[in-house]
């Protein structure tokens, strides 16, 4: 078992990582609700319902990370008798964590919130840091809030039912954390279900360290966007045919190649990232138009005034922010990766 303590502006909380943790959740208080989805609820909600939690179930998928789902969940909370003193428990992947977190941040001006992430991505990334929200038809994550949880419960045994493709998607963020701050995370021996406690604990620690130092993304937190400028463009131009994790995997390699092209890092780092992607079975090539990818990047929220902005690497554990890299250099890298 591991406990990671987090100091956040909205209050301190603990992240508990323990196999079998969900076998004995505490008894619910009045009006406490577990929010899950149609895939995860049949697998794990029965751990909670005998403990007097009311279950509210949303449809499964990013397509349902919407204000419509939020509105339906408010109704479920009213029906469950949830009041200002009740707790919302998010049981599922990042979509449920973000949606239920937004419900918890806004229902009756905010109620207590517990995260129970069940996907690898949600464990190492989305359940930590307090960002919650939903998508709009115009784009992803355009409405949201900062809502710190009271507690995060991670039971790595839930990963046993996670589809393989979702494991790989989460691994992309694990590799990102390894490249940013913890080389041990890049050891393939750790990349198995049997080592999930170590893997998740180390990967969570990287994100906790960054968000504690920069809770509102004024500076260093931007490092967590390593690979993501490329990834968001790939997702957008492919019409979301690429999963986020696949796009992040590719984006890590693109960021390493760009770093090398600018003379920031050795070629060995590019080779290392490439080998990791092969081992985890994440994509290293794309079949999209490099110019279209550049145009998509220009709409990036973080490119203020259209000036390009990338997170790059001098080496493992040495990220930096670089601005104003020109179009031809970036398009050149993307053209080499088709
Ligand atoms: N708030 C943040 O800081 C932050 C950070 C990164 C990503 N996100 C968000 O997270 C979302 C992606 O999260 P995700 O990758 O977990 O996707 P997801 O929530 O869609 O989960 C992936 C799939 O796995 C299923 N699943 C989850 N746990 C399972 C389990 N234990 N067994 C079987 N199936 C299981 C889900 O039902 C879903 O079908 C995106 O909406 C993204 O914007 C948020
Ligand atoms: Zn990501």
């Amino acid at each position: 078992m591991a406990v990671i303590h987090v100091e956040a502006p909205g209050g301190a909380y603990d992240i508990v990582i323990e196999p079998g943790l969900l076998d004995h959740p505490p008894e619910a208080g009045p009006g406490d609700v577990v929010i899950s989805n149609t895939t995860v609820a049949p697998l794990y909600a029965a751990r909670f319902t005998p403990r007097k939690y009311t279950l509210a179930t949303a449809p499964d998928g990013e397509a349902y990370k919407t204000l419509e789902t939020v509105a339906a969940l408010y109704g479920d909370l009213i029906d469950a008798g949830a009041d200002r003193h009740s707790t919302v428990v998010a049981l599922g992947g990042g979509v449920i964590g973000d949606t239920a977190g937004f419900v918890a941040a806004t229902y009756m001006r905010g109620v207590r919130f517990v995260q129970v992430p069940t996907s690898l991505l949600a464990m190492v990334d989305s359940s930590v840091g307090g960002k919650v929200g939903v998508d709009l038809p115009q784009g992803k994550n355009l409405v949201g809030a900062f809502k710190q949880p009271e507690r995060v419960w991670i039971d790595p045994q839930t990963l046993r039912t996670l589809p393989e493709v979702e494991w790989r998607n989460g691994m992309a963020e694990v590799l990102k954390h390894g490249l940013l701050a913890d080389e041990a995370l890049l050891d393939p021996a750790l990349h198995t279900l049997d080592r999930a406690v170590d893997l998740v604990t180390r990967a969570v620690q990287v994100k906790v360290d960054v968000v504690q130092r920069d809770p509102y993304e004024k500076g260093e937190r931007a490092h967590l966007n390593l690979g993501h400028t490329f990834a968001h463009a790939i997702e957008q131009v492919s019409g979301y045919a690429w999963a986020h994790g696949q796009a992040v995997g590719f984006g890590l390699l693109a960021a390493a190649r760009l770093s090398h092209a600018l003379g920031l890092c050795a070629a060995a780092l590019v080779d290392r990232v490439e080998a990791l992607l092969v081992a985890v079975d994440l994509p290293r090539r794309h079949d999209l138009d490099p110019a279209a990818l550049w145009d998509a990047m220009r709409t990036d929220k973080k490119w203020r005034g259209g000036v390009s902005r990338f997170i790059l690497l001098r080496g493992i554990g040495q990220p930096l922010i670089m601005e104003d890299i020109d179009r031809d250099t970036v398009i050149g890298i993307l053209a080499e990766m088709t």
Side-chain angles (χ1 to χ4, degrees):
M1 171 174 140
V3 180
I4 297 176
H5 184 73
V6 187
E7 291 289 338
Y13 62 93
D14 285 338
I15 301 170
V16 183
I17 303 160
E18 186 186 356
L21 189 61
L22 293 196
D23 296 345
H24 42 78
E27 182 119 337
D32 288 358
V33 174
V34 169
I35 295 179
S36 192
N37 71 24
T38 45
T39 303
V40 177
L43 293 168
Y44 301 109
R47 314 283 177 95
F48 290 87
T49 40
R51 312 287 293 162
K52 304 206 179 85
Y53 293 83
T54 301
L55 174 65
T57 308
D60 186 7
E62 181 77 31
Y64 299 98
K65 198 175 117 174
T66 60
L67 291 169
E68 287 73 24
T69 301
V70 168
L73 291 169
Y74 290 146
D76 293 337
L77 263 65
I78 298 274
D79 292 347
D83 64 19
R84 289 187 302 122
H85 308 289
S86 300
T87 298
V88 167
V89 179
L91 173 68
V95 168
I96 283 296
D98 281 11
T99 310
F102 187 71
V103 168
T106 50
Y107 180 74
M108 295 192 176
R109 295 200 185 82
V111 295
R112 284 199 285 264
F113 179 44
V114 171
Q115 288 263 26
V116 185
T118 60
S119 71
L120 180 59
L121 181 138
M123 290 177 187
V124 304
D125 192 352
S126 61
S127 68
V128 184
K131 285 189 187 177
V132 298
V134 295
D135 303 333
L136 293 181
Q138 291 85 350
K140 283 185 64 173
N141 298 320
L142 290 180
V143 177
F146 280 98
K147 174 72 181 173
Q148 303 299 341
E150 289 259 315
R151 188 163 284 260
V152 182
W153 287 326
I154 299 180
D155 184 343
Q157 282 179 357
T158 59
L159 294 171
R160 296 191 182 280
T161 56
L162 188 71
E164 174 86 35
V165 59
E166 298 301 342
W167 170 269
R168 293 200 291 268
N169 287 337
M171 276 304 301
E173 307 287 356
V174 170
L175 297 180
K176 179 189 79 178
H177 291 179
L179 290 168
L180 285 175
D182 183 1
E183 192 167 2
L185 281 169
L186 305 179
D187 178 359
L190 210 60
H191 301 165
T192 69
L193 259 183
D194 292 343
R195 301 287 301 278
V197 175
D198 290 347
L199 181 81
V200 169
T201 304
R202 296 196 84 103
V204 167
Q205 189 69 56
V206 171
K207 179 145 184 187
V208 166
D209 289 346
V210 174
V211 300
Q212 273 192 158
R213 288 193 292 258
D214 182 15
Y216 293 122
E217 198 161 343
K218 303 247 189 279
E220 185 192 347
R221 188 162 178 170
H223 291 169
L224 294 169
N225 281 322
L226 180 67
H228 278 63
T229 302
F230 291 104
H232 292 147
I234 292 263
E235 288 180 271
Q236 221 177 303
V237 173
S238 73
Y240 293 91
W242 283 56
H244 179 69
Q246 294 182 325
V248 170
F250 173 86
L252 295 175
L253 182 58
R257 291 181 75 135
L258 182 55
S259 304
H260 179 246
L262 296 171
L264 295 168
C265 74
L269 182 67
V270 177
D271 296 343
R272 179 102 186 256
V273 175
E274 188 138 20
L276 285 163
L277 295 183
V278 171
V280 178
D281 200 9
L282 285 165
R284 292 165 292 142
R285 312 243 156 245
H286 69 94
D287 56 1
L288 304 166
D289 173 17
L293 290 170
W294 171 264
D295 288 340
M297 285 186 226
R298 289 175 52 201
T299 67
D300 192 306
K301 278 183 283 196
K302 278 126 192 163
W303 287 26
R304 287 193 206 103
V307 176
S308 78
R309 191 166 199 262
F310 290 88
I311 311 304
L312 299 176
L313 292 169
R314 287 191 200 283
I316 293 165
Q318 296 173 281
L320 72 159
I321 301 172
M322 229 158 115
E323 295 196 331
D324 216 4
I325 298 168
D326 65 273
R327 179 181 187 273
D328 289 352
T329 305
V330 175
I331 288 189
I333 298 286
L334 288 167
E336 285 168 19
M337 296 178 76
T338 53

